[in-house]
Amino acid sequence: MTTFLLWSAVMTLIGIGIVGIVFPLLPGATFLFAGMWLAAWIEDYQCISTATVWWLFVLMLLSFAADWLAGALGAKKAGATKAAIIGATLGSIMGVLVGFWGLLIFPFVGAVLGELLSHGDQLRASKVGFAAWLGVMFGLIAKIAIAFAMLGIFALAWFL
């Protein structure tokens, strides 16, 4: 019975992690990692080695970096001021808390507001905001790719 409950927890955590890939309100990579670590622990690290668990942990951290820093890096690439980069970062964090639409809109708004406060140039601010938004989109793509990499590494380790 205990084993059944543990494996149910593994499946639940991984399921929530997969949903969290699409819905930013859920930390998908964290749930994926937790489920994969629990599966490794249940099997006493025989199917999934501790080295594999560490690689999965590193990928989880990379997913966080992709999620939170992408908008700021996009704005910086466009030559944004420090205020715009801070605005894009805060917008990304707020966007993650609000959900999918917040993640799409808030980094743009944060970067635009920061740039407007620094320079007051609307054209430049809109370019910086677009670059921040583009960075977030690339971050989302990276986060999805990292989640699939985690699932692939887990599956390969389990079956090989």
Side-chain angles (χ1 to χ4, degrees), residues 121-140:
D121 182 357
Q122 291 179 352
L123 180 61
R124 179 182 168 138
S126 63
K127 287 179 182 178
V128 167
F130 179 72
W133 178 83
L134 198 57
V136 168
M137 293 303 102
F138 281 119
L140 182 60

Side-chain angles (χ1 to χ4, degrees), residues 43-151:
E43 294 293 322
D44 200 27
Y45 302 97
Q46 295 302 308
C47 294
I48 308 294
S49 70
T50 54
T52 301
V53 171
W54 277 108
W55 278 110
L56 293 170
F57 180 75
V58 168
L59 287 172
M60 179 192 69
L61 293 177
L62 285 174
S63 178
F64 282 127
D67 216 9
W68 287 17
L69 297 177
L73 294 176
K76 184 175 182 178
K77 185 85 171 162
T81 61
K82 189 173 236 175
I85 293 168
I86 291 169
T89 302
L90 292 175
S92 294
I93 292 168
M94 288 174 54
V96 167
L97 298 175
V98 171
F100 181 73
W101 293 110
L103 189 61
L104 287 178
I105 296 168
F106 285 15
F108 173 81
V109 171
V112 168
L113 289 175
E115 195 66 30
L116 283 174
L117 287 172
S118 289
H119 287 293
D121 182 357
Q122 291 179 352
L123 180 61
R124 179 182 168 138
S126 63
K127 287 179 182 178
V128 167
F130 179 72
W133 178 83
L134 198 57
V136 168
M137 293 303 102
F138 281 119
L140 182 60
I141 291 167
K143 187 175 93 166
I144 291 169
I146 290 167
F148 279 112
M150 289 174 73
L151 290 167

